[in-house]
Amino acid sequence: MTGLIEFRDDEAGYLAWLAAHPEGYVINIARSHNATHARVHHASCRTVSGQIPVGSAWTGPYVKVCAEDLAELEQWAIEILGQPISPCGTCRPASGGGQPTSTKQTERAA
């Protein structure tokens, strides 16, 4: 998983990554890596790249795990967290097989 990067307390780095990877993906997850409220987003999703309220931080209580490849983030979630991460309800990223939170069933019947 060489394309993954995690941003903790690094606003400038995170914003630079978003600018350089507009087609990438972001897992927004608690610093403890508790997956309960974690979500997978398109890098362009307003919920992880829009205007942040004054006094807040993108990489504060939640960290961002970023990659250009959605499958790589899905693999990270399974290996590190032991479970897939739900897609954002706003931007709804989906893996190639139409299964947003799983790398299984990526082929469709012909």
Side-chain angles (χ1 to χ4, degrees), residues 1 5 8 11 13-15 19 33 37 39 44 49-50 60-61 63 69 79 81 84-85 89-90 99 103 109:
M1 287 188 268
I5 185 165
R8 284 179 185 258
E11 296 301 291
Y14 175 61
L15 294 173
H33 285 174
H37 298 291
R39 295 291 177 265
S44 60
S49 66
V63 297
D69 182 20
E79 289 179 8
L81 308 173
I85 301 296
T90 300
Q99 299 294 322
T103 56

Side-chain angles (χ1 to χ4, degrees), residues 57-72:
W58 287 117
T59 61
Y62 282 82
V63 297
K64 308 296 184 275
V65 180
C66 306
E68 288 186 24
D69 182 20
L70 181 57
E72 196 165 14

